[in-house]
Every structure is written in structure tokens, then in C-alpha cells.
Amino acid sequence: MKKIILLSLVCLFAMSLLAQQNAIGTNEAFMNYNPSSSPNVTIQRNTNFQTAIKIIENYSLRDERRNIVNLSSFNQGIPVQVNNLPWKDALELLVRAVGIRLEVRPGTYILSDFTIDTPGPVVEYHLGAKMVKISATFFNVDVSFSKAMGINWATLFDGDFKLDLGFGQNGQLETENPMFQASGGKSWRIDNPDGSFSLEAFLNYIEETNKGSILARPSVQVLSGKEGKMQVGRDFSVKSLDQSGNTIETFYSAGLILNVKPTIISEENFEAIFLDLAVEDSDVQPGALSTIIQKNQASTSILLFDGEETVVGGMIKSNTIKQRGGIPILKNLPWWVFGLKYIFGYSFDSLDKKEVVVIIKAELIDPVKERSLQRESIKQKLENMKNDFNNISREVGYP
């Protein structure tokens, strides 16, 4: 019986030590030290907590080469008096007194608040909630070509836009502009009476003539008041060291990124879409010492009606291209052929500037309840048509 009682006392004592250790997050570096060899500290009550930590940090740096990082929100006077205690005991006393956590890491003591998991806000959805379909077209076009064409993106409406060119009375170009003659003899003419040009025809034209290209055509459906994101690209990571010497890997997004937040506004039986949008075109260039991120960004807030389009442009990217000029064939001879390539040719750099344009279209989508009823109505109509067909077949004698 005595052995059982003694064993129980030992277990209780061990559990109390373990609880104290977990309360402040200590480890070997804090447990295995000799208080007699540690210098004593005296700190007056009501001393600012940050000042008290700085005093203790001086001894920590001298004895263990560890700094103390205070990440806690406590910034008041200490509620206890520290009377001639070893600096580690003083640190533990302050941590317990103010109710924060102490964590020992290589080269650092971390002071932080205890985290409490709180449930997130309750989100309520209903079947009558409407959605917005956001369609985007990313494409780039040569800047000099765009200026020569006289493109006016502000005139974009219902898939057509206008060019600042001369037109005859019949609505066609008066001059034979070589920019409207694509490869293979295909003619691109403007037949609209108002001189407008089809966006789809323009995109096909710039791709066939290498004046630009379609980069992406993503689309997303978003609930009113919620955020949506479209990304055509990749995520990359950057590794760094924190104050404790630990490796931290942080991820970033790159490529063509479109963030949208549509909100449906109703007024007098008319609905419009208030759209917050942010566009990013970014490239990643890893370097020897750091990673370079080249970004073109644009953001705006606009009001659109159902099916209306808007344009985000002006994001220009420049690339330097090395080229050779001179007499054909001779300019590209190897250097060891009597150096003729240097006589009959020359090297030069050309600047290729392209504008990234994003065309965004917003469309209202019926609530899920209405879409379900429409689907059931279509199914019923198909079933009725099938029955009518079967009745007619029986009347005419078809099997």
C-alpha cells in the first residue's frame, strides 16, 4: 500500500512539472541550466514589459547568444516585482505573470500570445441568390500596329469597336491598306455601315499576321457580393530565413490574374452590376541573389448593365530582340569564312513593345431555383413532343 501511495505522489509531481513546461513552451535549453551560474536580475514592479524584456535580453545574449523576440500584444507595466532572480527565472516569472507563451528556438526566445480558435462567421445562402458570369479575353497586340490602325477601345460595344480610319459612303475602306490583307489573300473588310470592326475578326487578323495573339479566355461564375479569381500562369515560392534561422517558404502567384467582385444592384425593376476588378500581368525571373517579379497592374470599379463589356488596356511589355541586317546569306556566314559576315552584315537590337488588353464581359445568371424550374419545363416539353410523335406514328401505322 505504501508503495502505491509513493508511486502516485511521484506521478503527480512529474505531471505538475510537465504541465509547467507546457504552459510556457520550454524545452531542453530552458530546463537544463544551472541557476547558480546565471546572473541575477532585479526589475521594479510596473516597469514597461518591453523594457523588462530588453534588460533580460542583455543577459541572454551574453550567456547563450540568444535574442528575445516579443510577438505578444502585451505592452503594459509588469504586475510583479523581480527581486534578485536568475535571468531565466525572471523571464519565466514575467511570462507566467502576464499570461503569454514562451517558445525556445535555435538562437531565439519567442514570446507570443496564446491562440484561441474561434468559429468563423456563419454564412447564409438562399436559393434566390443571383450569380454573375464574368468572361475575360486576354490578348496582346503590337503597339506600333495598334497606333497605325487607330484603335479606339472606348467605342467597344456588343463585340464591335471603331477604328480612326477613312471610310467611303458605302462603309468600306477607301484605300487598299496593306494591314487589311492577311496571308493567303484573305481580305478583311469592314462592312458595318457605321464603320465598326468585329472584335472576333480583329483577333483572327492579328493572329494570322503575327501582330498579336490571344493569351487566354477564362470565365467564372460568382455569387453577388463574393470574390472570384481567374489565373492563367503558375505559383512560385521564395525561401527566406526568419529571426530564428528557420527556413520559410512563401508562395506567390504570377501570370495573367484577374480578381473580380460583382455586386448586383436593383432599382425600379432594373438591374445593374457594380464590378470591382483588378488585373495583373506578371513574369518571374529567378536571379542569382533574388527573384525579380515584373508586374503590370490595373484596378478599377465600374457599373455595367447585363451583357455589357469593358476594356482594361495600357499594360505594355517591352522585349529587346537581337537581329542581323545586311546582304542575305552573306550576312549569316560563319565568322571563320574570311570574316565576310562582318563586311556584309551587321547586328542591331530592336525593341518589341506589346500592349496587353483585357476585355471583360459581365452577364446576369438566374438563381438556381429558376434555372431548375426552366430545366424541368424543357424536360416536360421534350416529353410532350415525344408523346405527340408516338401518337402520330400510331395513327399513320408506323411500328
Side-chain angles (χ1 to χ4, degrees):
M1 187 65 178
K2 291 182 179 180
K3 290 183 179 180
I4 295 176
I5 295 175
L6 181 61
L7 183 59
S8 301
L9 292 175
V10 171
C11 290
L12 289 174
F13 180 72
M15 291 176 62
S16 65
L17 288 179
L18 182 60
Q20 291 177 2
Q21 178 182 346
N22 292 336
I24 63 172
T26 57
N27 64 6
E28 264 185 35
F30 215 86
M31 293 173 62
N32 300 330
Y33 86 103
N34 186 4
S36 61
S37 62
S38 180
N40 292 345
V41 180
T42 298
I43 304 175
Q44 297 296 324
R45 186 177 181 178
N46 294 327
T47 301
N48 182 267
F49 180 70
Q50 188 65 31
T51 302
I53 293 301
K54 286 294 182 183
I55 295 173
I56 299 176
E57 185 181 28
N58 293 330
Y59 296 100
S60 175
L61 290 172
R62 188 186 67 179
D63 289 358
E64 299 184 354
R65 298 185 181 274
R66 295 175 186 263
N67 58 348
I68 302 177
V69 179
N70 181 23
L71 303 179
S72 69
S73 59
F74 188 84
N75 192 27
Q76 303 176 11
I78 59 175
V80 293
Q81 174 88 11
V82 179
N83 290 321
N84 200 28
L85 290 176
W87 66 267
K88 282 192 176 181
D89 292 342
L91 179 59
E92 182 179 348
L93 176 63
L94 294 182
V95 165
R96 293 180 182 277
V98 302
I100 60 176
R101 180 173 56 188
L102 171 62
E103 183 180 357
V104 183
R105 295 185 182 178
T108 310
Y109 290 108
I110 304 293
L111 306 181
S112 59
D113 297 324
F114 284 102
T115 57
I116 301 176
D117 295 332
T118 56
V122 179
V123 181
E124 295 183 358
Y125 298 101
H126 55 90
L127 297 180
K130 288 190 174 181
M131 293 195 302
V132 180
K133 180 182 179 181
I134 305 296
S135 304
T137 301
F138 292 82
F139 66 93
N140 59 22
V141 60
D142 186 84
V143 173
S144 59
F145 169 76
S146 178
K147 290 181 180 179
M149 291 277 286
I151 298 174
N152 187 1
W153 293 117
T155 61
L156 179 68
F157 179 76
D158 198 21
D160 296 332
F161 63 96
K162 291 185 178 181
L163 308 176
D164 296 334
L165 297 172
F167 299 94
Q169 295 181 355
N170 60 355
Q172 294 187 348
L173 282 174
E174 291 182 330
T175 59
E176 292 296 331
N177 193 318
M179 290 184 297
F180 284 89
Q181 192 68 26
S183 60
K186 186 174 181 180
S187 178
W188 298 88
R189 305 199 65 83
I190 301 175
D191 296 324
N192 296 336
D194 60 351
S196 61
F197 198 71
S198 169
L199 175 63
E200 289 298 322
F202 173 77
L203 294 177
N204 292 333
Y205 171 74
I206 63 174
E207 286 203 318
E208 287 199 18
T209 56
N210 294 323
K211 299 297 184 181
S213 61
I214 300 175
L215 303 176
R217 278 188 161 173
S219 65
V220 66
Q221 297 181 2
V222 189
L223 279 171
S224 176
K226 302 299 180 181
E227 295 182 357
K229 179 179 180 180
M230 292 177 275
Q231 178 183 351
V232 181
R234 60 179 180 175
D235 291 346
F236 67 98
S237 63
V238 176
K239 295 182 179 180
S240 60
L241 298 177
D242 61 7
Q243 294 181 343
S244 304
N246 301 316
T247 301
I248 300 176
E249 190 172 13
T250 307
F251 285 87
Y252 300 91
S253 298
L256 300 173
I257 303 173
L258 176 62
N259 292 289
V260 294
K261 183 180 180 182
T263 303
I264 299 175
I265 302 175
S266 301
E267 184 176 333
E268 297 181 356
N269 296 326
F270 179 78
E271 292 181 328
I273 304 168
F274 180 79
L275 182 62
D276 285 325
L277 64 92
V279 181
E280 177 183 317
D281 177 24
S282 56
D283 290 329
V284 181
Q285 296 181 354
L289 299 178
S290 62
T291 301
I292 301 173
I293 306 174
Q294 294 182 343
K295 286 185 179 181
N296 283 323
Q297 293 178 315
S299 60
T300 185
S301 298
I302 53 177
L303 197 61
L304 304 173
F305 59 80
D306 183 17
E308 188 177 4
E309 296 167 315
T310 187
V311 179
V312 178
M315 298 183 291
I316 297 176
K317 300 175 69 174
S318 300
N319 292 318
T320 302
I321 302 175
K322 295 186 178 295
Q323 295 182 335
R324 288 281 297 170
I327 300 176
I329 300 177
L330 297 178
K331 67 178 181 180
N332 295 322
L333 289 173
W335 64 269
W336 43 266
V337 182
F338 306 108
L340 293 179
K341 66 175 295 184
Y342 303 108
I343 300 175
F344 298 104
Y346 58 93
S347 299
F348 65 96
D349 294 337
S350 63
L351 187 62
D352 180 33
K353 297 176 69 176
K354 294 222 165 132
E355 178 185 9
V356 177
V357 182
V358 186
I359 298 178
I360 301 166
K361 183 177 182 179
E363 301 173 273
L364 292 175
I365 299 179
D366 293 331
V368 63
K369 191 173 183 179
E370 293 185 16
R371 298 201 305 272
S372 177
L373 293 176
Q374 292 173 2
R375 182 179 179 182
E376 292 297 327
S377 176
I378 293 174
K379 289 174 63 176
Q380 185 63 41
K381 288 180 180 179
L382 292 175
E383 187 68 25
N384 293 336
M385 291 174 62
K386 182 179 178 181
N387 293 333
D388 293 341
F389 178 78
N390 292 333
N391 293 333
I392 295 174
S393 297
R394 284 193 295 268
E395 289 178 2
V396 299
Y398 282 106

